[in-house]
Amino acid sequence: MKKIIASILVSVLMLTLASCCGAPSAEEVTGGKLDLSSSDSSKSEEETKKATEKATEKKEKNTEKATEKSDKKNESSNSSKTDKSSSPSSKTESNTNDNQQIEQPQQQIEQPQQQIEQPQQQIEQPQQQQVQQQPQQQQQQQNTSSRNIQMGTFTGEDIEFKYNNSYIKPNDTMSSVKQKIGNANNVATLPSCIGVGNDYVYRYNGFEIESYPSSSGERVLHIYITDSSISTEKGVKVGMKTADIVKAYGSDCISDDYSYSYLASGNMHLDFIIDNGTIIEIDYIYDVM
């Protein structure tokens, strides 16, 4: 190709020089006769023109191809760059997905912590209940500890029956008794042998209370203990022997083979019913005048 282009350029230069300097006339060359060399020169000129046109066309085509190739290279390079630039975004997306996956277990961990806090609150409630119960128990203990229990002798306090850390005694009003120890399991009604109206028998667990009608309302007549699960404040209960009675309350009493009776002020007395030296019943009694 280079050789062809060089020859074409040389011929073009020769033609331009010939046109500038001027070609010799036919008469000068042949002496008035027609020279056939001019026709040859015109043919060569046409051939050179055609060759130059073909060369320029080829050159233009080659340049077009070269530009197309360069454009394709640029497009491929640009696409590769865009791919590379898009890869960080995919990386960021993957990172965000990983972060979301990490956050989900953290949320799952926080839920058990909340579940753990709930049992702690449930534990605090019983503790508060225990704290509230402790002052009540302390008051009850103070009430019992304030009693001056004297073993081996009978005192006025021994006529009081202790049940659930509360004290009741004969001739108390039944309204005050119910406030202290609560309602009975069942109640029986009997015709009164003391006054007008009815007597009532209140049955609790292990003991009974009999009431009588009075001008000031219903009052306690007897307290009967018939079960070994209930004892006096000094620890004497059904099933024990007479020696246990004397040990707790002393020998200053009215006694026989059937009972030991300890007298208190206010027409009240504490009786132990005996059968063959064994206690079968304990009675707190009020004698209505």
Side-chain angles (χ1 to χ4, degrees):
M1 287 293 296
K2 290 181 179 180
K3 289 180 180 181
I4 293 168
I5 293 166
S7 63
I8 290 167
L9 293 173
V10 171
S11 62
V12 170
L13 291 172
M14 290 175 69
L15 288 172
T16 53
L17 291 171
S19 62
C20 292
C21 297
S25 65
E27 292 179 352
E28 289 176 356
V29 176
T30 60
K33 295 181 178 179
L34 181 63
D35 192 358
L36 295 175
S37 63
S38 62
S39 63
D40 294 332
S41 64
S42 63
K43 289 181 180 179
S44 62
E45 288 176 358
E46 291 178 356
E47 289 176 355
T48 53
K49 286 181 180 180
K50 290 179 180 180
T52 54
E53 289 177 355
K54 288 180 179 180
T56 53
E57 287 178 358
K58 287 182 180 181
K59 188 175 181 180
E60 289 176 354
K61 288 180 180 180
N62 290 326
T63 53
E64 287 178 357
K65 289 180 181 181
T67 54
E68 287 178 356
K69 288 181 181 180
S70 63
D71 292 335
K72 287 181 181 180
K73 287 181 181 180
N74 291 325
E75 288 177 356
S76 62
S77 63
N78 290 325
S79 64
S80 64
K81 288 179 181 180
T82 54
D83 292 334
K84 289 180 181 180
S85 63
S86 63
S87 62
S89 65
S90 63
K91 288 182 181 179
T92 55
E93 289 177 356
S94 63
N95 290 327
T96 54
N97 292 326
D98 293 334
N99 292 327
Q100 290 177 355
Q101 291 179 357
I102 292 168
E103 289 175 355
Q104 288 178 355
Q106 289 178 353
Q107 293 176 354
Q108 292 177 357
I109 292 168
E110 290 175 355
Q111 289 177 355
Q113 289 178 353
Q114 294 176 354
Q115 293 178 358
I116 291 167
E117 290 177 356
Q118 292 178 353
Q120 288 178 354
Q121 292 177 354
Q122 292 177 358
I123 291 168
E124 288 177 356
Q125 290 178 354
Q127 288 179 353
Q128 291 177 355
Q129 291 178 357
Q130 289 178 359
V131 171
Q132 291 176 356
Q133 290 176 358
Q134 283 177 359
Q136 294 178 355
Q137 292 177 356
Q138 288 176 358
Q139 288 178 357
Q140 291 173 355
Q141 288 176 359
Q142 288 176 358
N143 291 330
T144 57
S145 61
S146 63
R147 300 294 293 266
N148 186 15
I149 299 174
Q150 298 178 7
M151 297 298 289
T153 184
F154 182 79
T155 65
E157 292 179 344
D158 291 332
I159 197 63
E160 295 180 354
F161 171 59
K162 181 182 177 183
Y163 180 72
N164 286 342
N165 291 321
S166 295
Y167 292 94
I168 61 175
K169 66 181 184 298
N171 207 34
D172 280 348
T173 61
M174 281 305 302
S175 60
S176 65
V177 170
K178 291 176 183 178
Q179 288 177 355
K180 290 179 180 179
I181 66 174
N183 295 324
N185 297 329
N186 57 72
V187 181
T189 303
L190 302 173
S192 179
C193 59
I194 297 173
V196 179
N198 295 321
D199 294 344
Y200 296 94
V201 177
Y202 296 87
R203 295 186 176 93
Y204 292 86
N205 294 327
F207 67 96
E208 297 177 358
I209 298 174
E210 184 179 351
S211 68
Y212 73 98
S214 70
S215 59
S216 60
E218 186 182 6
R219 290 183 173 272
V220 177
L221 181 64
H222 297 156
I223 301 171
Y224 302 101
I225 299 174
T226 57
D227 192 278
S228 61
S229 63
I230 304 297
S231 67
T232 67
E233 189 174 15
K234 290 183 176 179
V236 179
K237 58 186 178 180
V238 172
M240 288 185 172
K241 302 297 182 179
T242 56
D244 297 318
I245 300 171
V246 174
K247 183 179 179 180
Y249 297 98
S251 59
D252 187 9
C253 63
I254 299 170
S255 63
D256 55 27
D257 293 337
Y258 304 102
S259 68
Y260 279 59
S261 181
Y262 294 85
L263 302 178
S265 62
N267 299 322
M268 293 180 288
H269 51 94
L270 174 61
D271 293 350
F272 296 90
I273 309 303
I274 307 300
D275 184 14
N276 293 324
T278 302
I279 302 170
I280 60 173
E281 186 178 317
I282 302 172
D283 301 334
Y284 295 82
I285 301 172
Y286 172 69
D287 291 331
V288 179
M289 299 301 292

